[in-house]
mmCIF file of all heavy atoms in Angstrom:
data_model
loop_
_atom_site.group_PDB
_atom_site.id
_atom_site.type_symbol
_atom_site.label_atom_id
_atom_site.label_comp_id
_atom_site.label_asym_id
_atom_site.label_seq_id
_atom_site.Cartn_x
_atom_site.Cartn_y
_atom_site.Cartn_z
ATOM 1 N N PRO A 1 64.604 -1.306 -59.827
ATOM 2 C CA PRO A 1 65.710 -0.742 -59.031
ATOM 3 C C PRO A 1 67.069 -1.256 -59.406
ATOM 4 O O PRO A 1 68.083 -0.661 -59.058
ATOM 5 C CB PRO A 1 65.345 -1.191 -57.604
ATOM 6 C CG PRO A 1 64.538 -2.424 -57.789
ATOM 7 C CD PRO A 1 63.816 -2.247 -59.073
ATOM 8 N N GLU A 2 67.146 -2.360 -60.143
ATOM 9 C CA GLU A 2 68.453 -2.960 -60.420
ATOM 10 C C GLU A 2 68.607 -3.177 -61.910
ATOM 11 O O GLU A 2 67.647 -3.362 -62.651
ATOM 12 C CB GLU A 2 68.563 -4.316 -59.730
ATOM 13 C CG GLU A 2 68.373 -4.232 -58.248
ATOM 14 C CD GLU A 2 68.256 -5.615 -57.600
ATOM 15 O OE1 GLU A 2 68.276 -6.636 -58.317
ATOM 16 O OE2 GLU A 2 68.104 -5.668 -56.375
ATOM 17 N N VAL A 3 69.858 -3.243 -62.333
ATOM 18 C CA VAL A 3 70.189 -3.514 -63.716
ATOM 19 C C VAL A 3 70.600 -4.959 -63.849
ATOM 20 O O VAL A 3 71.373 -5.473 -63.052
ATOM 21 C CB VAL A 3 71.347 -2.595 -64.195
ATOM 22 C CG1 VAL A 3 71.782 -2.963 -65.586
ATOM 23 C CG2 VAL A 3 70.941 -1.116 -64.122
ATOM 24 N N ASP A 4 70.059 -5.643 -64.860
ATOM 25 C CA ASP A 4 70.506 -7.006 -65.154
ATOM 26 C C ASP A 4 71.784 -6.866 -65.999
ATOM 27 O O ASP A 4 71.745 -6.311 -67.085
ATOM 28 C CB ASP A 4 69.407 -7.728 -65.976
ATOM 29 C CG ASP A 4 69.770 -9.143 -66.298
ATOM 30 O OD1 ASP A 4 70.989 -9.450 -66.418
ATOM 31 O OD2 ASP A 4 68.843 -9.940 -66.477
ATOM 32 N N PRO A 5 72.928 -7.316 -65.463
ATOM 33 C CA PRO A 5 74.194 -7.098 -66.119
ATOM 34 C C PRO A 5 74.340 -7.878 -67.428
ATOM 35 O O PRO A 5 75.232 -7.627 -68.226
ATOM 36 C CB PRO A 5 75.238 -7.551 -65.092
ATOM 37 C CG PRO A 5 74.495 -8.511 -64.251
ATOM 38 C CD PRO A 5 73.066 -8.051 -64.213
ATOM 39 N N THR A 6 73.429 -8.830 -67.708
ATOM 40 C CA THR A 6 73.594 -9.659 -68.903
ATOM 41 C C THR A 6 73.180 -8.963 -70.176
ATOM 42 O O THR A 6 73.701 -9.250 -71.239
ATOM 43 C CB THR A 6 72.810 -10.977 -68.767
ATOM 44 O OG1 THR A 6 71.431 -10.676 -68.611
ATOM 45 C CG2 THR A 6 73.335 -11.784 -67.582
ATOM 46 N N ARG A 7 72.246 -7.992 -70.082
ATOM 47 C CA ARG A 7 71.863 -7.247 -71.300
ATOM 48 C C ARG A 7 71.058 -6.008 -70.940
ATOM 49 O O ARG A 7 70.320 -5.988 -69.968
ATOM 50 C CB ARG A 7 71.103 -8.127 -72.278
ATOM 51 C CG ARG A 7 69.739 -8.522 -71.892
ATOM 52 C CD ARG A 7 69.103 -9.369 -73.022
ATOM 53 N NE ARG A 7 67.807 -9.835 -72.597
ATOM 54 C CZ ARG A 7 66.673 -9.148 -72.728
ATOM 55 N NH1 ARG A 7 66.689 -7.963 -73.300
ATOM 56 N NH2 ARG A 7 65.534 -9.635 -72.305
ATOM 57 N N VAL A 8 71.218 -5.004 -71.777
ATOM 58 C CA VAL A 8 70.486 -3.757 -71.589
ATOM 59 C C VAL A 8 68.996 -4.002 -71.754
ATOM 60 O O VAL A 8 68.554 -4.682 -72.675
ATOM 61 C CB VAL A 8 70.960 -2.692 -72.627
ATOM 62 C CG1 VAL A 8 70.094 -1.460 -72.581
ATOM 63 C CG2 VAL A 8 72.419 -2.325 -72.378
ATOM 64 N N GLY A 9 68.210 -3.447 -70.849
ATOM 65 C CA GLY A 9 66.756 -3.547 -70.912
ATOM 66 C C GLY A 9 66.165 -4.818 -70.282
ATOM 67 O O GLY A 9 64.978 -4.922 -70.187
ATOM 68 N N ALA A 10 67.037 -5.746 -69.860
ATOM 69 C CA ALA A 10 66.520 -7.038 -69.359
ATOM 70 C C ALA A 10 65.673 -6.885 -68.123
ATOM 71 O O ALA A 10 64.612 -7.513 -67.983
ATOM 72 C CB ALA A 10 67.702 -7.987 -69.065
ATOM 73 N N SER A 11 66.091 -6.023 -67.169
ATOM 74 C CA SER A 11 65.317 -5.885 -65.951
ATOM 75 C C SER A 11 63.978 -5.178 -66.241
ATOM 76 O O SER A 11 62.970 -5.518 -65.618
ATOM 77 C CB SER A 11 66.104 -5.144 -64.863
ATOM 78 O OG SER A 11 66.598 -3.928 -65.336
ATOM 79 N N ARG A 12 63.951 -4.241 -67.157
ATOM 80 C CA ARG A 12 62.729 -3.589 -67.551
ATOM 81 C C ARG A 12 61.780 -4.651 -68.153
ATOM 82 O O ARG A 12 60.605 -4.698 -67.791
ATOM 83 C CB ARG A 12 62.991 -2.488 -68.575
ATOM 84 C CG ARG A 12 61.723 -1.845 -69.148
ATOM 85 C CD ARG A 12 61.877 -1.271 -70.543
ATOM 86 N NE ARG A 12 62.432 -2.252 -71.438
ATOM 87 C CZ ARG A 12 63.264 -1.943 -72.450
ATOM 88 N NH1 ARG A 12 63.621 -0.719 -72.699
ATOM 89 N NH2 ARG A 12 63.699 -2.907 -73.251
ATOM 90 N N ASP A 13 62.306 -5.465 -69.050
ATOM 91 C CA ASP A 13 61.501 -6.447 -69.721
ATOM 92 C C ASP A 13 60.940 -7.487 -68.704
ATOM 93 O O ASP A 13 59.780 -7.912 -68.818
ATOM 94 C CB ASP A 13 62.306 -7.161 -70.803
ATOM 95 C CG ASP A 13 62.710 -6.198 -71.906
ATOM 96 O OD1 ASP A 13 62.156 -5.072 -71.996
ATOM 97 O OD2 ASP A 13 63.642 -6.543 -72.687
ATOM 98 N N ALA A 14 61.745 -7.859 -67.750
ATOM 99 C CA ALA A 14 61.282 -8.818 -66.722
ATOM 100 C C ALA A 14 60.165 -8.200 -65.908
ATOM 101 O O ALA A 14 59.174 -8.867 -65.564
ATOM 102 C CB ALA A 14 62.453 -9.210 -65.823
ATOM 103 N N GLU A 15 60.266 -6.908 -65.565
ATOM 104 C CA GLU A 15 59.204 -6.247 -64.812
ATOM 105 C C GLU A 15 57.938 -6.092 -65.630
ATOM 106 O O GLU A 15 56.835 -6.254 -65.100
ATOM 107 C CB GLU A 15 59.683 -4.878 -64.314
ATOM 108 C CG GLU A 15 60.612 -4.971 -63.133
ATOM 109 C CD GLU A 15 60.030 -5.703 -61.950
ATOM 110 O OE1 GLU A 15 58.972 -5.261 -61.425
ATOM 111 O OE2 GLU A 15 60.547 -6.744 -61.568
ATOM 112 N N VAL A 16 58.072 -5.857 -66.923
ATOM 113 C CA VAL A 16 56.885 -5.778 -67.796
ATOM 114 C C VAL A 16 56.175 -7.143 -67.764
ATOM 115 O O VAL A 16 54.966 -7.192 -67.570
ATOM 116 C CB VAL A 16 57.270 -5.397 -69.236
ATOM 117 C CG1 VAL A 16 56.112 -5.642 -70.188
ATOM 118 C CG2 VAL A 16 57.708 -3.955 -69.316
ATOM 119 N N GLU A 17 56.899 -8.196 -67.899
ATOM 120 C CA GLU A 17 56.310 -9.552 -67.878
ATOM 121 C C GLU A 17 55.643 -9.828 -66.511
ATOM 122 O O GLU A 17 54.584 -10.438 -66.434
ATOM 123 C CB GLU A 17 57.326 -10.629 -68.204
ATOM 124 C CG GLU A 17 57.814 -10.551 -69.632
ATOM 125 C CD GLU A 17 56.708 -10.561 -70.683
ATOM 126 O OE1 GLU A 17 55.774 -11.383 -70.560
ATOM 127 O OE2 GLU A 17 56.734 -9.724 -71.595
ATOM 128 N N ARG A 18 56.288 -9.378 -65.451
ATOM 129 C CA ARG A 18 55.764 -9.630 -64.111
ATOM 130 C C ARG A 18 54.438 -8.892 -63.895
ATOM 131 O O ARG A 18 53.460 -9.477 -63.419
ATOM 132 C CB ARG A 18 56.793 -9.181 -63.044
ATOM 133 C CG ARG A 18 56.392 -9.558 -61.602
ATOM 134 C CD ARG A 18 57.474 -9.171 -60.633
ATOM 135 N NE ARG A 18 57.564 -7.737 -60.430
ATOM 136 C CZ ARG A 18 56.733 -7.062 -59.629
ATOM 137 N NH1 ARG A 18 55.800 -7.671 -58.937
ATOM 138 N NH2 ARG A 18 56.852 -5.749 -59.499
ATOM 139 N N VAL A 19 54.355 -7.630 -64.297
ATOM 140 C CA VAL A 19 53.089 -6.899 -64.079
ATOM 141 C C VAL A 19 52.013 -7.333 -65.056
ATOM 142 O O VAL A 19 50.820 -7.289 -64.722
ATOM 143 C CB VAL A 19 53.259 -5.343 -64.080
ATOM 144 C CG1 VAL A 19 54.123 -4.895 -62.900
ATOM 145 C CG2 VAL A 19 53.800 -4.843 -65.387
ATOM 146 N N LEU A 20 52.406 -7.839 -66.216
ATOM 147 C CA LEU A 20 51.408 -8.433 -67.121
ATOM 148 C C LEU A 20 50.782 -9.675 -66.464
ATOM 149 O O LEU A 20 49.573 -9.851 -66.529
ATOM 150 C CB LEU A 20 52.019 -8.835 -68.462
ATOM 151 C CG LEU A 20 52.358 -7.649 -69.408
ATOM 152 C CD1 LEU A 20 53.146 -8.140 -70.591
ATOM 153 C CD2 LEU A 20 51.097 -6.917 -69.834
ATOM 154 N N ALA A 21 51.578 -10.476 -65.794
ATOM 155 C CA ALA A 21 51.068 -11.667 -65.094
ATOM 156 C C ALA A 21 50.169 -11.290 -63.933
ATOM 157 O O ALA A 21 49.272 -12.060 -63.549
ATOM 158 C CB ALA A 21 52.254 -12.513 -64.607
ATOM 159 N N LEU A 22 50.335 -10.059 -63.372
ATOM 160 C CA LEU A 22 49.499 -9.596 -62.296
ATOM 161 C C LEU A 22 48.139 -9.050 -62.773
ATOM 162 O O LEU A 22 47.272 -8.820 -61.971
ATOM 163 C CB LEU A 22 50.211 -8.487 -61.484
ATOM 164 C CG LEU A 22 51.463 -8.917 -60.722
ATOM 165 C CD1 LEU A 22 52.168 -7.706 -60.164
ATOM 166 C CD2 LEU A 22 51.109 -9.893 -59.626
ATOM 167 N N GLY A 23 48.016 -8.827 -64.080
ATOM 168 C CA GLY A 23 46.756 -8.343 -64.615
ATOM 169 C C GLY A 23 46.847 -7.066 -65.423
ATOM 170 O O GLY A 23 45.797 -6.575 -65.900
ATOM 171 N N ALA A 24 48.053 -6.524 -65.595
ATOM 172 C CA ALA A 24 48.205 -5.331 -66.462
ATOM 173 C C ALA A 24 48.021 -5.725 -67.916
ATOM 174 O O ALA A 24 48.104 -6.920 -68.254
ATOM 175 C CB ALA A 24 49.585 -4.701 -66.232
ATOM 176 N N THR A 25 47.764 -4.746 -68.764
ATOM 177 C CA THR A 25 47.699 -4.968 -70.223
ATOM 178 C C THR A 25 48.599 -3.954 -70.923
ATOM 179 O O THR A 25 48.829 -2.862 -70.399
ATOM 180 C CB THR A 25 46.247 -4.817 -70.743
ATOM 181 O OG1 THR A 25 45.775 -3.534 -70.380
ATOM 182 C CG2 THR A 25 45.341 -5.898 -70.168
ATOM 183 N N VAL A 26 49.103 -4.369 -72.101
ATOM 184 C CA VAL A 26 49.962 -3.456 -72.867
ATOM 185 C C VAL A 26 49.099 -2.472 -73.636
ATOM 186 O O VAL A 26 48.160 -2.859 -74.367
ATOM 187 C CB VAL A 26 50.869 -4.257 -73.863
ATOM 188 C CG1 VAL A 26 51.643 -3.309 -74.766
ATOM 189 C CG2 VAL A 26 51.820 -5.162 -73.093
ATOM 190 N N VAL A 27 49.423 -1.171 -73.497
ATOM 191 C CA VAL A 27 48.753 -0.141 -74.268
ATOM 192 C C VAL A 27 49.601 0.222 -75.478
ATOM 193 O O VAL A 27 49.083 0.346 -76.600
ATOM 194 C CB VAL A 27 48.514 1.139 -73.392
ATOM 195 C CG1 VAL A 27 47.973 2.273 -74.212
ATOM 196 C CG2 VAL A 27 47.600 0.812 -72.217
ATOM 197 N N ASP A 28 50.921 0.333 -75.269
ATOM 198 C CA ASP A 28 51.846 0.668 -76.358
ATOM 199 C C ASP A 28 53.225 0.196 -75.990
ATOM 200 O O ASP A 28 53.710 0.488 -74.876
ATOM 201 C CB ASP A 28 51.840 2.175 -76.601
ATOM 202 C CG ASP A 28 52.403 2.574 -77.963
ATOM 203 O OD1 ASP A 28 52.708 1.697 -78.788
ATOM 204 O OD2 ASP A 28 52.497 3.793 -78.210
ATOM 205 N N ASP A 29 53.872 -0.528 -76.866
ATOM 206 C CA ASP A 29 55.205 -1.046 -76.639
ATOM 207 C C ASP A 29 56.206 -0.214 -77.424
ATOM 208 O O ASP A 29 56.239 -0.273 -78.655
ATOM 209 C CB ASP A 29 55.309 -2.509 -77.040
ATOM 210 C CG ASP A 29 56.579 -3.172 -76.556
ATOM 211 O OD1 ASP A 29 57.606 -2.475 -76.352
ATOM 212 O OD2 ASP A 29 56.591 -4.406 -76.403
ATOM 213 N N LEU A 30 56.992 0.621 -76.744
ATOM 214 C CA LEU A 30 57.896 1.532 -77.400
ATOM 215 C C LEU A 30 59.354 1.108 -77.172
ATOM 216 O O LEU A 30 60.270 1.945 -77.282
ATOM 217 C CB LEU A 30 57.659 2.955 -76.872
ATOM 218 C CG LEU A 30 56.237 3.457 -77.138
ATOM 219 C CD1 LEU A 30 55.951 4.722 -76.361
ATOM 220 C CD2 LEU A 30 56.041 3.704 -78.624
ATOM 221 N N ARG A 31 59.586 -0.158 -76.884
ATOM 222 C CA ARG A 31 60.934 -0.668 -76.736
ATOM 223 C C ARG A 31 61.615 -0.704 -78.089
ATOM 224 O O ARG A 31 60.972 -1.006 -79.114
ATOM 225 C CB ARG A 31 60.945 -2.088 -76.125
ATOM 226 C CG ARG A 31 60.511 -2.062 -74.634
ATOM 227 C CD ARG A 31 60.453 -3.420 -74.060
ATOM 228 N NE ARG A 31 59.212 -4.088 -74.471
ATOM 229 C CZ ARG A 31 58.756 -5.202 -73.941
ATOM 230 N NH1 ARG A 31 59.435 -5.828 -72.990
ATOM 231 N NH2 ARG A 31 57.631 -5.721 -74.353
ATOM 232 N N GLN A 32 62.915 -0.429 -78.081
ATOM 233 C CA GLN A 32 63.689 -0.428 -79.319
ATOM 234 C C GLN A 32 64.679 -1.596 -79.302
ATOM 235 O O GLN A 32 65.050 -2.064 -78.230
ATOM 236 C CB GLN A 32 64.407 0.917 -79.452
ATOM 237 C CG GLN A 32 63.447 2.098 -79.498
ATOM 238 C CD GLN A 32 64.175 3.436 -79.430
ATOM 239 O OE1 GLN A 32 65.374 3.537 -79.621
ATOM 240 N NE2 GLN A 32 63.401 4.465 -79.149
ATOM 241 N N PRO A 33 65.164 -2.019 -80.491
ATOM 242 C CA PRO A 33 66.054 -3.160 -80.539
ATOM 243 C C PRO A 33 67.346 -2.950 -79.725
ATOM 244 O O PRO A 33 67.944 -3.919 -79.248
ATOM 245 C CB PRO A 33 66.405 -3.281 -82.021
ATOM 246 C CG PRO A 33 65.239 -2.655 -82.724
ATOM 247 C CD PRO A 33 64.743 -1.570 -81.806
ATOM 248 N N ASP A 34 67.791 -1.676 -79.512
ATOM 249 C CA ASP A 34 69.025 -1.445 -78.780
ATOM 250 C C ASP A 34 68.796 -1.414 -77.250
ATOM 251 O O ASP A 34 69.695 -1.139 -76.477
ATOM 252 C CB ASP A 34 69.676 -0.128 -79.225
ATOM 253 C CG ASP A 34 68.813 1.094 -78.926
ATOM 254 O OD1 ASP A 34 67.690 0.964 -78.357
ATOM 255 O OD2 ASP A 34 69.272 2.219 -79.250
ATOM 256 N N GLY A 35 67.562 -1.761 -76.804
ATOM 257 C CA GLY A 35 67.258 -1.794 -75.368
ATOM 258 C C GLY A 35 66.663 -0.528 -74.825
ATOM 259 O O GLY A 35 66.233 -0.501 -73.672
ATOM 260 N N LYS A 36 66.695 0.541 -75.588
ATOM 261 C CA LYS A 36 66.083 1.789 -75.131
ATOM 262 C C LYS A 36 64.571 1.714 -75.211
ATOM 263 O O LYS A 36 64.006 0.748 -75.765
ATOM 264 C CB LYS A 36 66.613 2.962 -75.934
ATOM 265 C CG LYS A 36 68.101 3.182 -75.747
ATOM 266 C CD LYS A 36 68.596 4.337 -76.556
ATOM 267 C CE LYS A 36 70.103 4.525 -76.327
ATOM 268 N NZ LYS A 36 70.636 5.539 -77.227
ATOM 269 N N GLY A 37 63.889 2.725 -74.713
ATOM 270 C CA GLY A 37 62.457 2.802 -74.810
ATOM 271 C C GLY A 37 61.758 2.312 -73.575
ATOM 272 O O GLY A 37 62.378 2.006 -72.545
ATOM 273 N N TRP A 38 60.419 2.197 -73.654
ATOM 274 C CA TRP A 38 59.594 1.861 -72.504
ATOM 275 C C TRP A 38 58.327 1.187 -72.992
ATOM 276 O O TRP A 38 58.067 1.104 -74.191
ATOM 277 C CB TRP A 38 59.251 3.121 -71.703
ATOM 278 C CG TRP A 38 58.498 4.152 -72.488
ATOM 279 C CD1 TRP A 38 57.134 4.271 -72.580
ATOM 280 C CD2 TRP A 38 59.052 5.194 -73.307
ATOM 281 N NE1 TRP A 38 56.795 5.329 -73.386
ATOM 282 C CE2 TRP A 38 57.972 5.899 -73.858
ATOM 283 C CE3 TRP A 38 60.356 5.556 -73.621
ATOM 284 C CZ2 TRP A 38 58.163 6.967 -74.714
ATOM 285 C CZ3 TRP A 38 60.535 6.619 -74.487
ATOM 286 C CH2 TRP A 38 59.430 7.329 -75.016
ATOM 287 N N VAL A 39 57.556 0.695 -72.033
ATOM 288 C CA VAL A 39 56.276 0.071 -72.368
ATOM 289 C C VAL A 39 55.179 0.803 -71.571
ATOM 290 O O VAL A 39 55.316 1.050 -70.368
ATOM 291 C CB VAL A 39 56.262 -1.420 -71.978
ATOM 292 C CG1 VAL A 39 54.911 -2.065 -72.321
ATOM 293 C CG2 VAL A 39 57.398 -2.146 -72.689
ATOM 294 N N VAL A 40 54.143 1.208 -72.279
ATOM 295 C CA VAL A 40 52.970 1.830 -71.653
ATOM 296 C C VAL A 40 51.996 0.685 -71.357
ATOM 297 O O VAL A 40 51.621 -0.095 -72.259
ATOM 298 C CB VAL A 40 52.284 2.870 -72.576
ATOM 299 C CG1 VAL A 40 51.091 3.491 -71.867
ATOM 300 C CG2 VAL A 40 53.292 3.931 -73.028
ATOM 301 N N LEU A 41 51.600 0.571 -70.114
ATOM 302 C CA LEU A 41 50.691 -0.486 -69.674
ATOM 303 C C LEU A 41 49.472 0.144 -69.038
ATOM 304 O O LEU A 41 49.448 1.333 -68.753
ATOM 305 C CB LEU A 41 51.388 -1.391 -68.669
ATOM 306 C CG LEU A 41 52.619 -2.117 -69.229
ATOM 307 C CD1 LEU A 41 53.756 -2.030 -68.235
ATOM 308 C CD2 LEU A 41 52.295 -3.535 -69.572
ATOM 309 N N ALA A 42 48.445 -0.662 -68.776
ATOM 310 C CA ALA A 42 47.276 -0.204 -68.042
ATOM 311 C C ALA A 42 47.037 -1.178 -66.891
ATOM 312 O O ALA A 42 47.206 -2.413 -67.063
ATOM 313 C CB ALA A 42 46.045 -0.171 -68.940
ATOM 314 N N ASP A 43 46.680 -0.641 -65.738
ATOM 315 C CA ASP A 43 46.360 -1.484 -64.592
ATOM 316 C C ASP A 43 44.969 -2.092 -64.854
ATOM 317 O O ASP A 43 44.338 -1.784 -65.850
ATOM 318 C CB ASP A 43 46.454 -0.698 -63.287
ATOM 319 C CG ASP A 43 45.421 0.382 -63.066
ATOM 320 O OD1 ASP A 43 44.381 0.379 -63.784
ATOM 321 O OD2 ASP A 43 45.641 1.236 -62.211
ATOM 322 N N PRO A 44 44.495 -2.990 -63.980
ATOM 323 C CA PRO A 44 43.182 -3.618 -64.216
ATOM 324 C C PRO A 44 42.027 -2.626 -64.332
ATOM 325 O O PRO A 44 40.987 -2.971 -64.904
ATOM 326 C CB PRO A 44 43.013 -4.539 -63.028
ATOM 327 C CG PRO A 44 44.418 -4.912 -62.669
ATOM 328 C CD PRO A 44 45.207 -3.640 -62.879
ATOM 329 N N ALA A 45 42.164 -1.404 -63.840
ATOM 330 C CA ALA A 45 41.084 -0.376 -63.970
ATOM 331 C C ALA A 45 41.295 0.466 -65.208
ATOM 332 O O ALA A 45 40.485 1.360 -65.450
ATOM 333 C CB ALA A 45 41.053 0.479 -62.724
ATOM 334 N N GLY A 46 42.349 0.214 -65.999
ATOM 335 C CA GLY A 46 42.556 0.962 -67.219
ATOM 336 C C GLY A 46 43.457 2.182 -67.082
ATOM 337 O O GLY A 46 43.670 2.922 -68.036
#
């Protein structure tokens, strides 16, 4: 819901790390060096 003003993509990246710690897994990481893109994850049921 919020943007981290320190860098583009920071809040997305923090949320990715948070849900990984909850038990999600990375399916495909489509983040780009300029901060664009997204991450495909899977919940514990896949």
Side-chain angles (χ1 to χ4, degrees):
E2 303 171 359
V3 175
D4 182 332
T6 61
R7 71 179 175 86
V8 173
S11 55
R12 175 207 54 213
D13 297 344
E15 285 301 301
V16 167
E17 293 306 314
R18 188 176 72 80
V19 295
L20 286 172
L22 294 172
T25 56
V26 174
V27 174
D28 200 4
D29 191 335
L30 300 167
R31 290 177 281 193
Q32 300 172 14
D34 64 0
K36 295 179 180 174
W38 60 91
V39 181
V40 181
L41 299 135
D43 69 17

